[in-house]
Amino acid sequence: ACIHSLEEVFNLFENNPNELDIETAIDVINTALSFDLNDQVEKIVRYLVRDNLDNNAILVRIKQVYADNNIEEIGENIINETKQEIIKINNEGAKLLKDGKLEESIEFFMKAAKAMPNNSTININVAYSMIMQMEKSGKINKYYARAIRYLERVLETDPNNQKYHQLMRMIQSVTNKAA
């Protein structure tokens, strides 16, 4: 019965990963690991790491669940591989930004933010790309509200993020120039 319930949770997760809150996800991971359902667990862990890369407390909890199940190294490997994947994604978007391909960087980071809505770094980068495009084009209306929404996500997940405050000042400066 428990394995059947876990299968239902995995199916629900496949269809809508954002609906699985952190506490439930940690419980599911722990229970599923005790049944050696490592492959199904890995999908959830990778999602949690991608979405919460800047939240060390969550990463520590995930590591602890693996340690409690005597497979600490597997957990470490999944977390490290996923971190490298995020760094690669971020670097790709940053290169587009650096090369002046602002619209492309916006699209790239928006796609990444859709997959990782709580990832502060990705949300910062999509907002920064939008601010740079507003500054370059002078077209504020196209991106202002969206940039603010991405920055609000950062504030929700990481209220002490210094880049959040820096970008809020930048966006205010850009809108003041355009006024």
Side-chain angles (χ1 to χ4, degrees), residues 92-109:
E92 283 181 48
K95 183 174 180 349
L96 290 170
L97 189 60
K98 183 179 175 230
D99 292 346
K101 298 176 180 177
L102 298 175
E103 287 292 337
E104 288 177 48
S105 74
I106 290 168
E107 292 301 317
F108 183 86
F109 282 127

Side-chain angles (χ1 to χ4, degrees), residues 6 9-10 13 17 19-32 41 44-45 47-48 52 58 61-62 65:
L6 285 170
V9 171
F10 293 134
F13 173 78
E19 293 298 313
L20 191 61
D21 67 88
I22 300 292
E23 295 306 317
T24 304
I26 297 289
D27 288 343
V28 167
I29 291 166
N30 194 32
T31 304
V41 167
I44 295 174
V45 171
Y47 175 81
L48 288 177
N52 298 283
I58 292 172
R61 289 186 64 201
I62 293 169
V65 169

